[in-house]
Amino acid sequence: MKKTLLAEFTAREGAQDEVARLIGDYALEVREEAGNVAFDVYTKAAEPRAFWIFEVYRDEEAFQAHLNAPYGGPFNAALTPLIEEDASVLTFLDPLSAARSE
């Protein structure tokens, strides 16, 4: 079963451009992962400092490989002081069809 999630965070005032650069570079690396299906980065139209990343991985194993990628730690270390939250807020998603079959 695919692993799907929404990661969100808010750039600190004045850090939006640096956050956009960091997440843009990171997205290029994540999209090259064998198990990555989607890594789409958005900002909220009414609040451009709010970033939303829609992520889909082939399965749990691919998601775990993503978490253990060598560039993830340095990305998070660079991102954390630039955002308002302590870390990205993750929301794991299930397809409606999976919810209906239970």
Side-chain angles (χ1 to χ4, degrees), residues 9-73:
F9 51 83
T10 306
R12 292 186 186 278
E13 192 71 45
Q16 179 181 343
D17 291 343
E18 180 64 10
V19 169
R21 185 193 66 74
L22 279 172
I23 193 68
D25 291 347
Y26 184 62
L28 294 175
E29 293 184 280
V30 174
R31 290 176 185 143
E32 294 295 318
E33 294 174 10
N36 179 258
V37 175
F39 193 90
D40 300 327
V41 180
Y42 300 89
T43 57
K44 209 172 180 179
E47 191 179 339
R49 290 188 305 120
F51 287 79
W52 291 14
I53 300 92
F54 178 72
E55 303 178 47
V56 182
Y57 299 90
R58 181 186 61 237
D59 53 23
E60 180 65 30
E61 183 179 335
F63 179 63
Q64 291 303 318
H66 164 71
L67 293 178
N68 293 309
Y71 41 83

